[in-house]
Amino acid sequence: MDLLKYFRDSQPPKGSARVAKERLRILVERDRSGRNQNQPSYLPDLEREILAVIQKYVDVDPTDVIVHYEQEESQEILELNIILPEGASETGQVGGVP
Amino acid sequence: MAKIIVITSGKGGVGKTTTAASISMGLAQRGHRTVVIDFDVGLRNLDLIMGCERRVVYDFVHVINGEANLSQALIRDKRCDALYVLPASQTRDKEALTKEGVGKVLETLSQTYDYIVCDSPAGIEHGANMAMYYADDAIVVTNPEVSSVRDSDRMLGILASKSRRAENNEEPIREYLLLTRYVPERVQRGEMLSVEDVQEILSLELLGVIPESQAVLNASNSGIPVILDAESDAGQAYRDVVARYLGEDVPHRFLDTRKKGFLSRLLGS
């Protein structure tokens, strides 16, 4: 058994840490943009409506849509990040409806 | 003027008090006059970790209320002359710590001490806010675990917006990451967030990594700050942390798994 383990150990790690990091990255980004008081007041509504539109077509989790607003000296950046589930399937009859 | 350091985290049980005890002891051992203050009113524990719980007569709240003076409440550490402990009250209401009261005590201590270490309670309530409000530096204690990292990030937001430095538009609090309860073997197996992962998410300067260690429980059992256990990995890691905090260039240790030979791995020992 230990012989097997020796060879298994040399393979690239695939554990839950990778998932943890990805979840945290998204969460922290979200928390931080919520803290940013300079963001326009329409942002939460925008996020909700965009989410509603996307959910009409794809089965995404509410936490997987991130609207990020950033203000730099000469420009404002509105970043929209949607994480589609693996093997995203169409939920409605949208698209191919006769 | 003393430098005020807050030991904070947001989440409970990550090692704030252990860290406050060891860092204050480490600073004092290097000859810096140091006082460590327990801000956890109602749930005081620093006195237990420092091993002076039977010598508490007056506490922080007594001093704030003018019912005792500082020299009556401060407990001199028996192992190190340069170190004093200011215990929290066990019975009082948390609101007993007022911004003005805390400010006055810190100002008085500032005249005699080089370092004031504030051991913050968990959470983001009043006690935690009071512990960090006057800080110059913050050591954010984090475990390589999702809820701890998230809470640390929330605490960073509070440090950046609700401290005295932030309110007065002064230079912001200097923030450091201290990663505790680290298990390199689990990181290597991909089961635990690595130092790099946590640093990347929080983007903080790394002050040190304390490995998960039996020595920490042994130390708290006996009321001895783990930094005094010079043989132990955690004790040595805290020594490195203090040196690094004081500006010395000390390489990070205890990040890798112990190297195993081919044979011992094969035999699973």
Side-chain angles (χ1 to χ4, degrees):
Chain A
M1 283 309 272
D2 285 315
L3 191 66
L4 271 175
K5 200 166 148 246
Y6 174 78
F7 289 108
R8 228 186 303 141
D9 274 359
S10 51
Q11 280 170 10
K14 27 173 206 177
S16 51
R18 206 168 41 90
V19 183
K21 186 183 178 185
E22 189 53 24
R23 288 175 62 213
L24 267 172
R25 206 182 51 74
I26 294 164
L27 199 59
V28 163
E29 194 171 313
R30 213 182 161 78
D31 285 351
R32 283 186 186 167
S33 67
R35 284 207 291 269
N36 184 358
Q37 279 137 18
N38 296 327
Q39 68 180 23
S41 55
Y42 60 75
L43 221 56
D45 285 337
L46 178 71
E47 190 170 335
R48 214 168 10 252
E49 283 179 39
I50 289 174
L51 179 67
V53 172
I54 293 166
Q55 276 182 330
K56 263 171 72 180
Y57 299 90
V58 194
D59 188 17
V60 292
D61 190 85
T63 55
D64 288 343
V65 176
I66 298 156
V67 180
H68 185 69
Y69 176 83
E70 216 171 295
Q71 195 165 26
E72 285 172 14
E73 272 171 34
S74 59
Q75 55 183 353
E76 294 164 60
I77 302 165
L78 187 62
E79 189 186 311
L80 184 63
N81 194 354
I82 303 157
I83 299 151
L84 295 176
E86 272 171 50
S89 60
E90 292 180 4
T91 51
Q93 295 85 5
V94 191
V97 189
Chain B
M1 274 303 274
K3 173 96 57 180
I4 302 175
I5 310 165
V6 61
I7 313 294
T8 189
S9 70
K11 191 175 182 299
V14 297
K16 280 184 297 297
T17 303
T18 297
T19 298
S22 278
I23 287 185
S24 56
M25 178 61 82
L27 289 168
Q29 279 190 320
R30 283 164 164 261
H32 301 289
R33 286 163 301 177
T34 305
V35 56
V36 56
I37 307 177
D38 191 349
F39 274 78
D40 204 346
V41 172
L43 286 172
R44 77 164 179 236
N45 277 320
L46 179 67
D47 51 339
L48 262 179
I49 303 299
M50 296 295 295
C52 63
E53 71 278 8
R54 293 172 65 182
R55 296 163 65 206
V56 177
V57 182
Y58 295 109
D59 59 56
F60 196 11
V61 175
H62 285 127
V63 177
I64 287 177
N65 292 345
E67 295 158 11
N69 57 43
L70 262 172
S71 58
Q72 289 174 298
L74 288 169
I75 303 170
R76 174 184 241 156
D77 190 273
K78 286 193 168 159
R79 296 149 298 206
C80 184
D81 282 351
L83 180 61
Y84 285 79
V85 181
L86 183 54
S89 167
Q90 182 69 300
T91 52
R92 310 288 188 110
D93 181 21
K94 282 182 179 39
E95 308 297 316
L97 298 181
T98 59
K99 203 181 265 184
E100 296 69 33
V102 172
K104 257 191 188 164
V105 172
L106 293 182
E107 203 185 308
T108 314
L109 289 170
S110 253
Q111 289 157 14
T112 354
Y113 292 90
D114 302 317
Y115 290 99
I116 301 173
V117 179
C118 303
D119 182 21
S120 173
I124 49 174
E125 307 299 319
H126 184 71
N129 281 322
M130 285 301 102
M132 67 87 200
Y133 185 76
Y134 293 97
D136 300 306
D137 294 348
I139 296 176
V140 181
V141 182
T142 309
N143 289 168
E145 179 270 323
V146 283
S147 56
S148 174
V149 175
R150 185 197 200 178
D151 289 358
S152 291
D153 186 67
R154 292 208 57 194
M155 190 43 77
L156 290 174
I158 292 170
L159 291 171
S161 62
K162 294 196 174 142
S163 63
R164 175 181 60 170
R165 283 172 173 268
E167 284 179 4
N168 296 346
N169 280 319
E170 289 170 28
E171 204 184 309
I173 294 176
R174 272 172 62 190
E175 302 156 339
Y176 300 95
L177 171 66
L178 182 70
L179 202 58
T180 55
R181 309 201 67 167
Y182 197 68
V183 187
E185 289 79 10
R186 304 196 70 184
V187 174
Q188 199 184 39
R189 288 199 298 266
E191 297 169 2
M192 183 181 265
L193 291 164
S194 69
V195 196
E196 293 79 16
D197 291 341
V198 179
Q199 237 187 317
E200 193 185 315
I201 291 161
L202 295 177
S203 33
L204 275 186
E205 184 181 335
L206 181 68
L207 189 59
V209 177
I210 311 296
E212 172 80 62
S213 167
Q214 180 60 42
V216 173
L217 185 58
N218 285 342
S220 80
N221 284 342
S222 10
I224 300 167
V226 71
I227 196 170
L228 293 177
D229 185 354
E231 303 289 304
S232 70
D233 46 0
Q236 290 174 21
Y238 272 116
R239 266 166 208 268
D240 290 357
V241 163
V242 171
R244 239 174 256 129
Y245 177 77
L246 293 171
E248 292 170 30
D249 189 14
V250 183
H252 290 280
R253 296 193 274 172
F254 313 110
L255 299 182
D256 295 320
T257 48
R258 263 159 277 144
K259 300 265 184 300
K260 280 186 175 179
F262 177 80
L263 257 181
S264 66
R265 290 181 67 170
L266 217 54
L267 300 171
S269 58

